[in-house]
Amino acid sequence: MLNYVWISLVVIGILVAAGTDFNADVKNRYRNDMIMEGVVSISKSPTTARATYEGTLVIDRSAFNALYGVQTSGEEIRLPVVIQSDLEIPRMTFSSTAEMPAIWKEFAKYASTKDKLTATVQSLVASEDGRTAKVRFVREPIRFVKFKAVTQAALDYAAIAVNIAIGLIGIMALWLGVMKVAEAAGLIRSLTRLLTPLTKRLFPDVPPDHPAVGAMIMNIAANMLGLSNAATPLGLKAMEELNKLNPKLGTATNAMCTFLVINTAGLVLLPATAIAVRAAAGSSNPGIIIGTSIFGASCATIAGLIAVKLLEKLKYYKKDLIIESGPEGGTKS
Amino acid sequence: MSELFRAMVNVVSIVAIPLMLLVFLGWGIVKRVKVYEVFVEGAKDGFNVAIRIIPYLVAMLVAIGIFRASGAMDVFVLLLSPITNLIGMPAETLPMALMRPLSGSGSLGIMTELMSVHGPDSFIGVLASTMYGSTETTFYVLAVYFGAVNVKNTRHALPAGLVADVFGMLGAVLICRILFGI
């Protein structure tokens, strides 16, 4: 199933991006090639040394709203601009600033130079005193916004994945070291014995005194306390121990799937992140969701466990466990 | 009641890690384990496990990243909203329910935005934060945990995990409607 879900995420993503970009282009949703007007109050006029005007462009807000069909509020739009006048067609550059309307800021992200929008100046008529000038301009066309976003996301997330993994090295080492000591001291075994009645039912394929059981219990306990820094290393340790019992490497065992579902259901006694966000948003009772979250996560855990136990009986999933006999043995996946 | 519980769990989660270190390593000394040597021996594996995860995590996060950036979520919201309307789940919280299994940071962003728009104590605000606490980031957990042991055929783990997510979200809607219902 993972194969299909994975490819669906990629294919649906790219198709939706293509569809959105095509639609935007056909309907000219980004209002490319439209002439806009504004008045520049010039702060620096061109000199012999440089051929640029600098100043503030003032655009009528209602005209802007009408053009893009948006509802931005406020007085006129004021944007710092630089006009390069020595080109055959003078060019005006806007930098992405706080005053820039949201829709243009979005455009700037996908412009030819990142965070800078440019426009070609059709006409520039300076006033008598040279302080202001009327400009008519056409903003650079914006195209393939979603395609560019998808490309950026693919590259960004590849880097994020590596960062997450690298960030795990330290805490991983810490907890694997601690667990090794606890194992050598026989502490894990005593802990395991305590919960045998429960773990025997959940993981019938795992010997009740196996180190995997101890690691799983510690992982679940750490998860419930919201200690994600400890829970992940302990969970990975548990997976390694479970893998020692795996007759067919590369394929998940029933115990692994059961353990994973307990983890993805994520039963937490204190949903600290959600409470913190509620408090930051000014809630009068940020902790009100503790009980409801425990209820929701319990539903998830119970439903997940039922599903995992039913699904493992299906022939479709059972056949993956069969070790193909042959010269290569059972290591093929 | 909930205040007391919250305070208690808070204290436990603060002292848990120092206490665990103390008890585990201290017990090791009592049992005459060469704690330092054994610790280092165990810790050695940390690097390998973390590095082993990388290909799995890259595959998963890139796919999720593409899906999120494309705006495909809006299409799914449109398709699913007739069903969720039937069970009394506000349409605003549907992106939250869909994003939760896919991305932790993504769903955190949606939750924060829903609260700033509707208020943290509104029905939508309470439901969104309950949803956030009702399940984990299934796809991420799947990639990391199975990646650590080089398991590529995850069999029924994903369908079962998604069943858990669906029921977590339904449970959140149910309990919020009963307690804070509209």
Side-chain angles (χ1 to χ4, degrees), chain A residues 28-292:
Chain A
N28 198 11
R29 186 159 298 149
Y30 305 137
R31 304 288 182 261
N32 293 329
D33 309 322
M34 296 266 200
I35 295 172
M36 294 184 76
E37 286 177 357
V39 176
V40 184
S41 48
I42 298 161
S43 56
K44 279 185 196 159
S45 295
T47 62
T48 45
R50 59 185 165 78
T52 57
Y53 289 93
E54 284 177 34
T56 311
L57 175 72
V58 181
I59 309 171
D60 183 37
R61 178 144 331 238
S62 53
F64 185 91
N65 285 352
L67 180 61
Y68 289 102
V70 291
Q71 286 300 324
T72 61
S73 54
E75 301 284 303
E76 64 236 319
I77 299 166
R78 306 179 72 87
L79 297 168
V81 288
V82 177
I83 300 170
Q84 228 174 322
S85 56
D86 60 339
L87 301 168
E88 201 175 312
I89 303 165
R91 198 167 58 203
M92 180 154 64
T93 310
F94 312 87
S95 320
S96 189
T97 55
E99 300 90 56
M100 192 182 260
I103 188 161
W104 271 24
K105 251 187 233 166
E106 196 63 27
F107 289 166
K109 270 195 220 159
Y110 304 107
S112 45
T113 348
K114 201 172 171 354
D115 290 333
K116 284 226 163 80
L117 269 182
T118 58
T120 48
V121 178
Q122 307 279 313
S123 70
L124 186 130
V125 184
S127 65
E128 300 267 303
D129 58 2
R131 293 245 185 85
T132 60
K134 264 194 176 159
V135 282
R136 287 158 60 82
F137 60 95
V138 176
R139 185 184 37 76
E140 65 172 307
I142 300 293
R143 290 209 166 84
F144 304 121
V145 166
K146 288 294 179 193
F147 262 123
K148 285 177 185 164
V150 161
T151 309
Q152 196 58 43
L155 301 177
D156 286 351
Y157 275 86
I160 290 171
V162 175
N163 283 339
I164 291 176
I166 300 288
L168 267 177
I169 295 176
I171 44 169
M172 203 58 225
L174 169 66
W175 285 103
L176 288 180
V178 171
M179 285 296 281
K180 190 94 177 175
V181 173
E183 233 171 78
L187 200 66
I188 303 289
R189 213 170 306 130
S190 341
L191 182 78
T192 306
R193 221 168 283 145
L194 219 63
L195 289 168
T196 299
L198 180 69
T199 54
K200 227 171 39 187
R201 278 193 187 83
L202 282 177
F203 309 102
D205 309 334
V206 182
D209 57 347
H210 195 272
V213 178
M216 287 193 286
I217 293 173
M218 304 239 327
N219 160 267
I220 293 166
N223 258 330
M224 287 177 83
L225 291 174
L227 308 171
S228 45
N229 275 342
T232 307
L234 290 170
L236 299 191
K237 165 88 178 158
M239 289 300 276
E240 290 213 306
E241 294 292 340
L242 287 174
N243 207 34
K244 287 179 187 164
L245 298 167
N246 190 351
K248 192 177 172 185
L249 296 177
T251 300
T253 61
N254 287 343
M256 284 180 180
C257 293
T258 309
F259 176 59
L260 204 94
V261 165
I262 297 176
N263 260 283
T264 62
L267 184 54
V268 179
L269 294 179
L270 194 72
T273 314
I275 294 176
V277 172
R278 290 177 58 75
S283 167
S284 59
N285 188 355
I288 200 168
I289 57 144
I290 294 173
T292 55

Side-chain angles (χ1 to χ4, degrees), chain B residues 52-70:
Chain B
R52 220 179 296 148
I53 297 170
I54 291 180
Y56 298 87
L57 211 50
V58 168
M60 193 62 86
L61 293 194
V62 167
I64 292 171
I66 289 174
F67 184 81
R68 277 182 59 186
S70 69

Side-chain angles (χ1 to χ4, degrees), chain A residues 268 270-283 285-290 292-293, chain B residues 6 96 100 104 107-108 111-112 115 120-121 125-135:
Chain A
V268 179
L270 194 72
T273 314
I275 294 176
V277 172
R278 290 177 58 75
S283 167
N285 188 355
I288 200 168
I289 57 144
I290 294 173
T292 55
S293 292
Chain B
R6 186 180 161 197
M96 177 74 202
R100 188 73 192 93
S107 51
L108 184 63
M111 172 173 73
T112 312
M115 272 188 227
D121 296 320
V126 171
L127 179 58
S129 35
T130 300
M131 281 176 164
Y132 187 86
S134 289
T135 186

